[in-house]
Amino acid sequence: MGDLESRGSWKNRGAPPPPPPHSNYYTSSSPYYAESSEKQWTSWLVPMIVVANVAMFIVIMIVNDCPKNHNSSLEGNCVARFLGRLSFQPLKENPLFGPSSSTLEKLGALEWKKVVNENEAWRLVSCIWLHAGVIHLLANMLSLVFIGIRLEQQFGFARVGVIYLLSGIGGSILSTLFIKNNISVGASGALFGLLGAMLSELLTNWTIYANKAAALITLVIIILINLAVGILPHVDNFAHIGGFLTGFLLGFVLLIRPQFAWQERRHLPVEARGKSKYTLFQYAFWFLSMLLLIAGYAFFIALDEM
């Protein structure tokens, strides 16, 4: 499975993989951003998220305690038994070197019945911080570092943090609506949200980019490659799409920048600037995106209460 949104008795959802041989690949290459004199933020949130995910995975494995809770006579021995209670489930049960599905479910994996029928909406958030195994965790965190640090340096921790969390929830919501028979964990919705935000940031801040066509084509190709992974067996693309759409809309709202003509004249007296700070289409995108985001979350809440 690697870094994929997957389904199955233990199968889980994760994020797009790092560079080949895996096909899900995020990059933070400079063509996505226009060079400017704007403040460069110090990235600390993304490293903290990485640390939190690693710490959470250790907690998961301690709770899992394969040597104590697993019946080796039925499915084989735990993997890496020298790790003690941190050892992994048999590879036939979990090929990603991780815990059992029951452990993930206990600690907050996304499950339709529990979210809808038992009102455990907190699972929409908790599942983002759980991982199916070491391979899953590494692939997710590499993807996050590739795209998250660059975005945080450009736009700061607050905006990137909001996009990451709300996109993860958006991915969980769409999965809950369409995937009803399997549990799910992983941060792919949040990671796809950052990728979607990169695209909307490019579109809404179009005037400040030097190599517009190259940046757009490169980013669209990466997005298509990532979404194409959803065609593979055991891969759930609903979390990918839900996270991507949420991040795409949030990018129009949170990552808006002044147009190039305004930046060129911003040091002149007000009467000499002649250009508004934002263009009409930036305001239109902002309003429409806010409307769609509110409508989407309201629709899910209403559906959940029916």
Side-chain angles (χ1 to χ4, degrees):
M1 267 182 58
D3 193 25
L4 307 179
E5 289 288 335
S6 303
R7 309 191 299 271
S9 57
W10 66 271
K11 298 181 174 67
N12 311 277
R13 297 200 281 277
H22 300 290
S23 57
N24 268 6
Y25 171 42
Y26 288 129
T27 177
S28 58
S29 179
S30 58
Y32 298 135
Y33 300 93
E35 296 298 329
S36 71
S37 59
E38 291 185 9
K39 175 182 178 180
Q40 291 289 308
W41 298 76
T42 299
S43 177
W44 62 267
L45 178 63
V46 169
M48 286 292 292
I49 292 175
V50 172
V51 171
N53 276 279
V54 172
M56 188 63 205
F57 184 73
I58 294 174
V59 171
I60 292 171
M61 296 310 301
I62 291 175
V63 172
N64 187 66
D65 195 359
C66 182
K68 179 180 179 181
N69 299 321
H70 176 68
N71 189 342
S72 59
S73 62
L74 296 178
E75 297 185 5
N77 294 324
C78 301
V79 178
R81 291 181 62 88
F82 63 88
L83 294 175
R85 65 188 302 164
L86 295 177
S87 58
F88 314 119
Q89 295 297 117
L91 295 182
K92 289 184 178 179
E93 182 181 353
N94 187 341
L96 298 182
F97 298 97
S100 65
S101 58
S102 59
T103 298
L104 293 172
E105 183 179 349
K106 181 192 305 183
L107 294 179
L110 185 65
E111 187 175 4
W112 178 80
K113 291 181 180 179
K114 293 185 179 297
V115 172
V116 177
N117 296 336
E118 301 179 24
N119 296 317
E120 296 184 2
W122 54 270
R123 290 180 179 268
L124 296 171
V125 178
S126 62
C127 68
I128 303 171
W129 305 92
L130 304 178
H131 288 85
V134 173
I135 296 175
H136 187 203
L137 176 67
L138 288 176
N140 274 340
M141 295 305 99
L142 285 174
S143 299
L144 176 59
V145 168
F146 285 146
I147 59 173
I149 287 180
R150 179 65 175 180
L151 279 174
E152 188 177 356
Q153 289 173 341
Q154 290 288 322
F155 298 102
F157 72 92
R159 286 183 281 183
V160 171
V162 169
I163 292 172
Y164 182 86
L165 182 59
L166 293 184
S167 296
I169 295 174
S172 298
I173 287 175
L174 201 64
S175 290
T176 302
L177 294 176
F178 291 95
I179 305 299
K180 300 182 178 181
N181 298 317
N182 304 286
I183 66 169
S184 164
V185 296
S188 67
L191 294 171
F192 263 88
L194 295 181
L195 189 59
M198 291 172 70
L199 178 59
S200 56
E201 190 274 326
L202 171 61
L203 296 176
T204 194
N205 302 321
W206 187 256
T207 62
I208 69 174
Y209 281 81
N211 300 316
K212 299 178 175 62
L216 180 60
I217 292 172
T218 302
L219 188 53
V220 168
I221 289 175
I222 293 174
I223 292 169
L224 292 177
I225 291 174
N226 279 274
L227 291 176
V229 174
I231 302 174
L232 298 175
H234 302 298
V235 177
D236 169 27
N237 223 11
F238 292 113
H240 296 177
I241 296 172
F244 177 83
L245 291 177
T246 304
F248 182 70
L249 295 175
L250 286 171
F252 287 119
V253 175
L254 298 177
L255 305 185
I256 185 173
R257 286 173 165 177
Q259 60 173 314
F260 179 76
W262 183 89
Q263 292 196 59
E264 287 290 288
R265 297 168 173 263
R266 62 181 171 175
H267 297 299
L268 298 176
V270 176
E271 62 274 7
R273 293 175 186 175
K275 290 284 185 178
S276 62
K277 189 173 184 178
Y278 302 107
T279 64
L280 182 60
F281 82 86
Q282 283 179 305
Y283 285 117
F285 276 138
W286 188 95
F287 177 78
L288 182 60
S289 297
M290 279 295 295
L291 190 63
L292 290 174
L293 282 167
I294 294 172
Y297 280 100
F299 171 77
F300 176 76
I301 293 174
L303 193 65
D304 187 39
E305 294 179 351
M306 291 177 61

